[in-house]
């Protein structure tokens, strides 16, 4: 059974409000959610809470939501919840794991008032598509899935230095592209 | 705009497909890494030795535990044995069951997570692409009892995604009644994985497996995580089975910062607890997601592989052959005849010349002059002639009888009549063998039964169907009186059961234990000859009996001299009561009847 087929089964079960679908979802995606949460949260209890909240959020969202990509959908929710938790912790000076990540994002991401700036989205997605697949995947794993550099290096059989270089080049190119389009000064 | 908002927003600015690709790409690369490895076996050994040396110099080091889904990420215990867990595939085995998939897949994922992507792959690793009748995935096993549900069926084309895996060793004792019965006592390996099929635990000892599935998981107030695996939901070869049984056994695994421990509980009227000692109290783990295929696992552990080649000439619709790097030709056969699967086997032959002279008429004549020489049974023509054991890798149909995968099939011709037998394993029990003859009769017994079915008087088929054998249950499906009938039998060795219109004995007790049973006795009216077939394969013909003897049922006891057998007649027929038979090395026998027939005065 392919992942796509599995995802479709899970979605169908969620639509039927079958709690077994939630268990399947947990089995398939809890590790991914935990991985994402761990990227910005240092407390294991926060990570676990984030995973549970993500699964609950998906349970509540589907239906009516019917995402094409279940993994990306979960990933987004997990990120939001993890960042939210991180923000809460930072406010109380509890956690600073995500600080480095934030400063890196600051380098290339513009301020935007609209959450769904379709032009910006197209620009960034197209730019990433123009990159080679390894760079693209490293970029997404770092800034979307919150993998740390060491994990990425291990995952792709690269040195940490090589990963860092690819990331900095990708960021620079993206910033340049955004500058050209007037998003960055 | 806050920095955290930017971070949140970033995910919304990237298309789903790109995120999905990155998620998948990460998983694949773990697999690809291993494929890219090109170390030789020598290099592997050298690296293993070097790493073992290094690890030995570091008596204790701590590692981070991420466990199964939902676990905390605290530090746990010490690293267990530095011994590498890279078992080579046993000769002749393939990954054809969920047990093996879980065991080998779990170990492979652990090795990869530890960065030990050694060159276990052969230089060329072709993917197995058949071996199970084209990858069909039946929803149910035919003819299973109603209280059994098939939840998943192994398919070698599936990918196996392992999210977490644990490996440790336990010491089985007789107090672990359930496992000891199936695996024996002593040190056994345990692999637990959380995978895309289920969360499974597999016990392995001496090539035997027992696997079941996670029922419950909880974390205590002290932070100890408890996993409960139940025999309610178990693995039987290629099948994940749900069996509603009033009596189950739970296996509980406890993981805490002091290590790992385990016990089992028999859930019945009174729960029975038994500790299962974990060797060293330690374990190894995989904490990354690894996606594997059966072909990759097979290659990693040096299982046999095959390269498909075009079908041979002949009137066979599908034959797959593959080369064997060790020499000769490894051949995998799937023969469909008029749309019917006849064979799905693997075999070994050195010479493909003269192969596949084969017609649709119902006769498979010489397939290979050196190896597979079998004749398809035609009641009017040639009989089966084949002395080659074929390992069945998938279901096959023969003479209207459907046999399941995971069986060993062989043909023989004895005394002019064909005999087919196959082996079927119960849950870790000794193999049982089912014999079937041209007339469709079945007989379950022990291995190497010689000519158990020849010269049976009744050649009327009484069974045509399938048989599924577990440790203590045989489930037959057959046509009788024009109706499809499924019958489950709880059997006990040596005791008779009735199936259809016949009474059978299930005998797998070797003679050495002092008892055996007569399978069948016939009489040749013309020759005053009596043939006695005994379950260990011996067949004795008693000549010169003035009166014919017919025994439909009976039993045999081995006498104290180890050679004489006392045959006890069926009390219902009362043909005779006792007959002592002593075989000699030259093939002759001596018999002595101790009680006469009521009308017999000759002896």
């Amino acid at each position: 059974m392919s992942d796509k087929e599995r995802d479709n089964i899970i979605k169908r079960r969620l639509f039927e409000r079958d709690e077994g679908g939630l268990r399947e979802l947990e089995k398939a995606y809890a590790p991914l959610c935990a991985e994402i949460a761990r990227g910005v949260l240092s407390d294991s209890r926060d990570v676990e809470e984030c995973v549970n909240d993500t699964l609950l959020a998906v349970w509540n969202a589907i239906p009516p939501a019917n995402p094409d990509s279940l993994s990306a959908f979960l990933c987004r929710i997990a990120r939001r919840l993890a960042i939210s938790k991180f923000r809460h912790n930072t406010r109380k000076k509890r956690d600073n794991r995500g600080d480095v990540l934030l400063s890196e994002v600051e380098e290339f991401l513009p301020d935007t008032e609209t959450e769904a700036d379709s032009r910006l989205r197209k620009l960034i997605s197209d730019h990433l598509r123009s990159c080679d697949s390894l760079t693209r995947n490293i970029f997404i794993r770092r800034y979307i899935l919150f993998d740390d550099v060491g994990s990425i290096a291990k995952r792709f059989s690269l040195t940490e230095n090589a990963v860092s270089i690819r990331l900095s080049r990708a960021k620079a190119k993206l910033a340049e592209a955004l500058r050209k389009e007037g998003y960055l000064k | 705009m806050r920095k955290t908002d930017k971070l949140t927003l970033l995910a919304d600015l990237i298309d789903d497909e790109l995120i999905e690709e990155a998620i998948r790409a990460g998983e694949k690369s773990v697999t690809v890494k291993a494929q890219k490895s090109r170390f030789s076996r020598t290099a592997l050994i050298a690296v293993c030795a070097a790493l073992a040396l290094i690890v030995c110099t570091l008596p204790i080091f701590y590692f981070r535990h991420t466990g199964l889904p939902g676990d905390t990420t605290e530090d746990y215990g010490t690293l267990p044995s530095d011994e590498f867990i890279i078992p080579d595939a046993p000769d002749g085995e393939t990954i054809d069951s969920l047990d093996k998939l879980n065991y080998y897949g779990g170990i492979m994922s652990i090795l990869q997570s530890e960065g030990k992507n050694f060159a276990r792959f052969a230089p060329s690793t072709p993917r197995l692409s058949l071996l199970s009748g084209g990858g069909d995935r039946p929803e149910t096993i035919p003819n299973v009892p109603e209280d059994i549900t098939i939840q998943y069926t192994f398919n070698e084309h599936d990918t196996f995604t392992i999210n977490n895996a644990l490996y440790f060793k336990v010491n089985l004792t007789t107090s672990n009644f359930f496992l000891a019965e199936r695996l024996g006592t002593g040190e056994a390996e345990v692999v637990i994985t959380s995978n895309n099929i289920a969360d499974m635990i597999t016990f392995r000892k001496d090539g035997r497996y027992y696997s079941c599935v996670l029922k419950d998981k909880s974390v205590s107030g002290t932070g100890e995580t408890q996993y409960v695996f139940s025999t309610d939901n178990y693995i039987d070869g290629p099948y994940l089975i749900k069996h509603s049984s009033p009596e189950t056994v739970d296996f509980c695994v406890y993981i805490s910062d002091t290590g790992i421990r385990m016990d089992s509980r028999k859930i019945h009227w009174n729960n029975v607890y038994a500790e299962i000692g974990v060797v060293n109290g330690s374990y190894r783990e995989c904490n990354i997601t690894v996606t594997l295929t059966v072909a990759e696992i097979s290659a990693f552990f040096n299982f046999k592989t095959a390269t498909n080649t075009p079908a041979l000439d002949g009137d066979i619709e599908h034959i797959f052959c593959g080369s064997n790097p060790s020499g000769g030709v490894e051949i995998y056969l799937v023969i469909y005849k008029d749309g019917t699967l006849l064979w799905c086997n693997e075999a070994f032959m050195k010479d493909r010349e003269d192969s596949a002279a084969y017609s649709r008429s119902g006769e498979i004549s010489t397939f290979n002059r050196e190896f597979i020489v079998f004749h398809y049974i035609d009641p009017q023509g040639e009989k089966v002639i084949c002395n080659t054991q074929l390992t069945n890798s998938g279901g096959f149909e023969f003479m209207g009888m459907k046999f399941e995968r995971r069986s060993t099939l062989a043909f023989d011709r004895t005394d002019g009549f064909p005999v087919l037998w196959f082996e079927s394993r119960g849950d870790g029990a000794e193999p049982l063998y089912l014999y079937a003859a041209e007339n469709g009769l079945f007989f379950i017994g022990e291995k190497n039964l010689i000519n158990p079915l020849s010269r049976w008087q009744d050649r009327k088929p009484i069974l045509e169907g399938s048989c599924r054998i577990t440790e203590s249950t045989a489930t037959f499906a057959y046509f009788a009186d024009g109706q499809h009938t499924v019958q489950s039998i709880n059997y006990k060795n040596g005791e008779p059961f009735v199936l259809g219109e016949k009474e059978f004995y299930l005998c797998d007790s070797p003679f050495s234990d002092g008892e055996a049973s007569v399978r069948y006795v016939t009489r040749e009216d013309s020759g005053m000859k009596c043939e006695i077939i005994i379950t260990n394969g011996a067949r004795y013909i008693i000549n010169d009996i003035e009166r014919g003897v017919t025994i439909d049922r009976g039993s045999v006891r081995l006498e104290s001299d180890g050679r004489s057998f006392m045959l006890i007649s069926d009390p219902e027929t009362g043909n005779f009561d006792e007959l002592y038979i002593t075989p000699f090395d030259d093939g002759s026998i001596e018999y002595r009847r101790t009680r006469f027939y009521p009308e017999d005065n000759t002896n």
Side-chain angles (χ1 to χ4, degrees), chain B residues 38-54:
Chain B
R38 290 290 184 268
F39 289 98
S40 66
R41 181 180 288 271
T42 308
L44 168 67
I45 293 167
V47 174
C48 289
L51 283 176
L53 188 63
I54 292 167

Side-chain angles (χ1 to χ4, degrees), chain A residues 68-83:
Chain A
D68 287 336
S69 167
L70 191 59
S71 57
F73 187 71
L74 256 95
C75 163
R76 287 206 173 88
I77 293 175
R79 285 179 96 257
R80 279 179 185 276
L81 291 170
I83 292 168

Side-chain angles (χ1 to χ4, degrees), chain A residues 1 3-4 6-7 24 26-32 38 40 44 48 68-69 71-72 75-76 79-80 83 86-87 91 101-103 105-106 108-112 114-117 120-121 124-125 128-129 133 136-137 139-141 143-146 154-157, chain B residues 1-27 29-30 33 64 66 69-74 112-115 117 137 152 157-159 161 163-164 194-199 217 219 287-289 291:
Chain A
M1 183 164 55
D3 291 344
K4 195 75 182 172
R6 180 201 60 197
D7 287 357
E24 289 296 312
E26 181 188 14
K27 193 171 13 166
Y29 286 111
L32 174 65
R38 254 180 241 124
V40 287
S44 61
E48 191 169 352
D68 287 336
S69 167
S71 57
C75 163
R76 287 206 173 88
R79 285 179 96 257
R80 279 179 185 276
I83 292 168
F86 167 74
R87 190 185 295 142
R91 201 178 300 133
L101 201 56
L102 285 175
S103 63
V105 174
E106 182 71 6
F108 65 89
L109 200 62
D111 289 341
T112 177
T114 54
E115 285 199 2
D117 186 330
L120 181 59
R121 176 179 179 143
I124 291 178
S125 290
L128 288 174
R129 280 195 187 87
S133 63
R136 180 167 66 241
N137 290 328
F139 183 91
I140 293 174
R141 288 213 75 93
Y143 298 117
I144 305 298
L145 304 180
F146 298 153
K154 187 178 173 187
R155 186 175 287 271
F156 292 101
S157 298
Chain B
M1 189 181 190
R2 290 178 302 193
K3 288 179 182 179
T4 50
D5 290 339
K6 279 190 178 184
L7 199 57
T8 306
L9 180 62
L10 182 57
D12 295 331
L13 295 173
I14 295 175
D15 288 346
D16 282 0
E17 62 179 80
L18 298 177
I19 297 173
E20 201 168 356
E21 179 201 41
I23 293 169
R24 306 281 172 249
E27 289 172 2
S29 68
V30 174
K33 271 196 296 185
R64 186 170 175 247
T66 52
D71 272 5
T72 56
T73 54
E74 297 162 6
Q112 293 198 352
S113 77
E114 293 174 352
N117 295 315
R137 185 201 296 264
Y152 184 83
H157 302 291
D158 279 354
T159 54
T161 301
N163 296 315
N164 298 102
S194 172
N195 61 64
N196 57 316
I197 301 168
D199 293 343
K217 181 183 71 179
V219 181
N287 53 19
I288 60 172
T289 297
T291 298

